Amino acid sequence: MSIELKGVTKKFGDTTAVNRVSFTVNEGELMALLGPSGGGKTTVLRMIAGLEVPTEGDIFIRGQRVNDVSVQKRNIGFVFQNYALFKNMNVFKNIAFGLKIKGWKRRDIEARVAELLEIMDLAGFEKRFPHQLSGGQRQRVAIARALAPKPTVLLLDEPFGAVDAKIRQELREQLVTLHSELNVTTIFVTHDQEEAMEVSNRIVIFSRGNLEQIGTPREVYEQPANEFVARFIGVMNVLDTEVRGGVARVNELQFPAAGQPDGTKLRIGFRPYAVQISPDLGLFPYRAVLRHTFFLGIMLRLELELPSGLILRSRMTKEEYAQLGLEDGREVSLRVRNYRVLASEDAPLPPEMESNAHRRPTIAEHI
């Protein structure tokens, strides 16, 4: 493995920014640290870089404990959100700066900078100064500068946060291509769920200094560890139910809950794609009115209101919508094809439900 954190805690006075976090990063992996502001993800990145020292716990890079190793000796490339380029240096000198500090020979510096200019699609820009570049170009220079000394690990803190949506998408694609070509272990911090899902091999999700879940994009989306992850990653219908006669009920909806005592309160979650609808009112067990359709490019999100007033969200393609002949105001039948029992981030499920909360979603075809 390339990086390992063991029980890492960081306190600033009486405030715990990171609370006993442990995870590993594989060699050559592209990992995202994802979470809301104040979740602890940037503090974790800065501790890996050596810009912050853990209050407790250990950090290892390629098997070496680096708690007391200086930033300069960790062989890490760091890219800041605000680029941090030297305004009085042109592109060539910005990229070459770290190599000069390390004492590289001139011909080797020129060869390395030329290589990175080509890789980062910056050839011909070497004599320009930062103020003569677009935001996307400045960020590519910052990444090239971080990569120049051939670091063991590349760290990026909100690398695309300062550019517009179109440039951000281009930079995401370039990061994936770059990582595939160079295979350098890369960790980037983001609060953008779509960015993390699109770019990374695995995602580490933080909230209030705690590590909530780690997994592939598909795992954290389809198998959220708790309610926080379920709500933070994508859209999810979350319902508070109560068990009666082996069934968890909320208004007219029912979910099998065999073995659960009457009165048990369960929180049920399911993604919009799990809500299947039909204009045939006799096909599925529940009825609802299609109140509003949200157009999201090739996908549509549908807002459905059940007779009790309960609102559910469904999702389908434009083609499916057209084939079913749907329109706002139409009555439809529906079913929930699969769902999960969610643990609260503060109150985990009781032991008897724990295995169900972390396995693949329970399939409920006849509810």
Side-chain angles (χ1 to χ4, degrees):
M1 66 188 66
S2 184
I3 300 170
E4 183 176 13
L5 278 69
K6 290 185 176 181
V8 171
T9 294
K10 179 62 180 179
K11 295 183 178 181
F12 296 99
D14 295 331
T15 301
T16 301
V18 176
N19 183 31
R20 297 194 59 79
V21 165
S22 299
F23 66 89
T24 60
V25 186
N26 299 320
E27 190 75 31
E29 188 169 19
L30 177 54
M31 175 175 279
L33 307 186
L34 174 67
S37 297
K41 54 192 184 297
T42 294
T43 302
V44 169
L45 197 77
R46 289 174 63 83
M47 286 192 287
I48 295 172
L51 299 173
E52 299 286 354
V53 178
T55 306
E56 299 174 14
D58 296 307
I59 299 174
F60 297 85
I61 298 178
R62 288 187 169 176
Q64 178 189 2
R65 183 179 180 274
V66 296
N67 290 42
D68 303 318
V69 176
S70 68
V71 177
Q72 294 79 7
K73 294 183 179 180
R74 293 194 188 194
N75 193 28
I76 283 177
F78 201 107
V79 178
F80 299 90
Q81 179 180 350
N82 62 355
Y83 319 127
L85 299 179
F86 301 111
K87 296 179 181 179
N88 62 333
M89 294 184 183
N90 62 27
V91 169
F92 183 97
K93 290 181 178 179
N94 262 284
I95 297 173
F97 180 81
L99 304 181
K100 290 183 178 180
I101 295 296
K102 290 179 176 292
W104 281 41
K105 295 179 180 180
R106 182 173 179 175
R107 65 174 180 273
D108 295 332
I109 291 175
E110 291 177 349
R112 180 60 173 164
V113 172
E115 177 187 10
L116 288 167
L117 287 169
E118 189 67 31
I119 290 173
M120 300 305 298
D121 196 24
L122 290 167
F125 291 84
E126 52 267 37
K127 293 184 179 180
R128 294 193 186 183
F129 288 83
H131 72 274
Q132 297 173 310
L133 304 173
S134 69
Q137 290 166 343
R138 288 197 293 270
Q139 191 60 290
R140 294 206 300 271
V141 173
I143 293 173
R145 184 179 62 184
L147 288 170
K150 300 184 178 180
T152 302
V153 176
L154 177 64
L155 305 178
L156 304 100
D157 186 11
E158 298 277 7
F160 313 134
V163 296
D164 62 37
K166 182 178 183 297
I167 300 300
R168 188 158 58 243
Q169 182 62 42
E170 292 175 358
L171 287 172
R172 288 179 192 172
E173 294 171 359
Q174 191 159 29
L175 177 60
V176 173
T177 301
L178 181 68
H179 179 263
S180 177
E181 292 177 355
L182 301 181
N183 200 38
V184 60
T185 303
T186 303
I187 306 174
F188 71 99
V189 162
T190 182
H191 62 271
D192 186 323
Q193 298 94 325
E194 180 180 330
E195 186 168 277
M197 298 281 284
E198 182 178 338
V199 172
S200 62
N201 304 129
R202 285 192 300 157
I203 302 172
V204 186
I205 301 174
F206 291 92
S207 172
R208 297 182 296 183
N210 298 307
L211 193 162
E212 300 290 349
Q213 186 172 0
I214 181 169
T216 65
R218 183 170 184 173
E219 286 170 346
V220 298
Y221 184 83
E222 295 186 348
Q223 305 171 51
N226 56 39
E227 184 182 352
F228 171 81
V229 176
R231 289 185 181 275
F232 191 73
I233 300 291
V235 176
M236 176 167 273
N237 297 287
V238 179
L239 305 175
D240 290 308
T241 70
E242 184 172 341
V243 176
R244 294 293 176 194
V247 176
R249 304 170 187 270
V250 54
N251 298 346
E252 54 267 82
L253 293 183
Q254 301 180 29
F255 302 86
Q260 292 301 304
D262 282 1
T264 300
K265 297 186 184 301
L266 298 178
R267 186 155 284 180
I268 301 293
F270 47 92
R271 299 291 183 190
Y273 66 76
V275 180
Q276 186 176 6
I277 66 175
S278 171
D280 181 351
L281 299 182
L283 184 60
F284 299 133
Y286 306 109
R287 290 192 180 187
V289 174
L290 175 54
R291 289 302 186 197
H292 191 74
T293 303
F294 298 88
F295 289 85
L296 309 172
I298 63 171
M299 299 298 297
L300 305 177
R301 189 170 76 242
L302 285 57
E303 187 176 274
L304 303 159
E305 183 177 354
L306 280 70
S308 64
L310 182 67
I311 300 295
L312 298 181
R313 294 175 179 85
S314 181
R315 188 180 178 98
M316 64 177 60
T317 65
K318 289 190 296 186
E319 289 74 15
E320 291 172 317
Y321 187 90
Q323 288 171 3
L324 293 174
L326 297 175
E327 59 184 11
D328 289 358
R330 180 158 188 175
E331 189 174 14
V332 298
S333 65
L334 69 85
R335 67 170 177 171
V336 180
R337 290 182 292 183
N338 53 71
Y339 64 90
R340 292 180 61 80
V341 177
L342 299 175
S344 164
E345 59 177 310
D346 297 317
L349 291 176
E352 64 270 18
M353 293 294 293
E354 188 71 21
S355 60
N356 289 334
H358 293 83
R359 63 179 173 83
R360 289 191 174 276
T362 303
I363 301 301
E365 291 290 353
H366 305 290
I367 62 176

